[in-house]
Amino acid sequence: MLPTNDIISVGDWVRGTTIYGELVVGYVEAIEESYQTIKVKVISSDNQDIMEKSAELLLHKVSKLNTVQPVSEDELYDLIDLALVTNDKQWFLELTAELNNKGNVRSSNDSSYALSNYSEY
């Protein structure tokens, strides 16, 4: 079992190994505690065939990645792009809200700009 400071939750970024030995980095989509497995959306892997797909990993073969808050406007835009690619609407909304709070929206001064553009993807 993981130490309490490393408890993994849905949405956390993790690094681990599949049952086939593939190295993966991605975010947790689901946790099956009774089987001690998690379902991870693979963002990076040494096996190109599983990229952007879901993989099941044994919980004991996974480690939680440290998260860093974006500090610059460019980092926020990069993360917004990633939220769009991964189709994570909640994360997209959080990031665009943070960007709008900074008052720096590149394409429009209208704070609803980012939300209206999400529907295009």
Side-chain angles (χ1 to χ4, degrees):
M1 182 143 210
L2 296 170
T4 54
N5 61 342
D6 286 338
I7 292 176
I8 294 176
S9 303
V10 171
D12 286 343
W13 285 86
V14 295
R15 170 184 39 216
T17 309
T18 68
I19 59 172
Y20 303 108
E22 302 154 320
L23 301 173
V24 298
V25 173
Y27 60 90
V28 178
E29 294 182 301
I31 300 172
E32 183 55 62
E33 291 185 36
S34 60
Y35 295 110
Q36 293 291 300
T37 61
I38 63 171
K39 182 178 175 185
V40 174
K41 179 72 167 200
V42 178
I43 303 302
S44 178
S45 176
D46 58 352
N47 178 357
Q48 296 294 319
D49 293 337
I50 64 171
M51 299 265 294
E52 297 189 25
K53 295 180 181 173
S54 296
E56 192 168 348
L57 285 73
L58 295 171
L59 195 53
H60 73 275
K61 292 195 172 207
V62 174
S63 61
K64 186 175 176 180
L65 296 175
N66 294 329
T67 55
V68 177
Q69 290 297 97
V71 292
S72 75
E73 183 180 329
D74 286 337
E75 288 174 324
L76 281 171
Y77 280 108
D78 289 342
L79 291 174
I80 288 169
D81 288 343
L82 182 58
L84 288 169
V85 167
T86 59
N87 202 24
D88 189 333
K89 186 174 184 177
Q90 182 60 39
W91 189 31
F92 173 84
L93 294 173
E94 291 168 10
L95 291 168
T96 55
E98 185 174 341
L99 184 64
N100 288 333
N101 286 337
K102 289 183 179 234
N104 296 322
V105 177
R106 287 182 183 165
S107 301
S108 173
N109 290 330
D110 179 7
S111 62
S112 64
Y113 169 78
L115 181 57
S116 66
N117 279 342
Y118 182 84
S119 62
E120 293 178 12
Y121 296 95

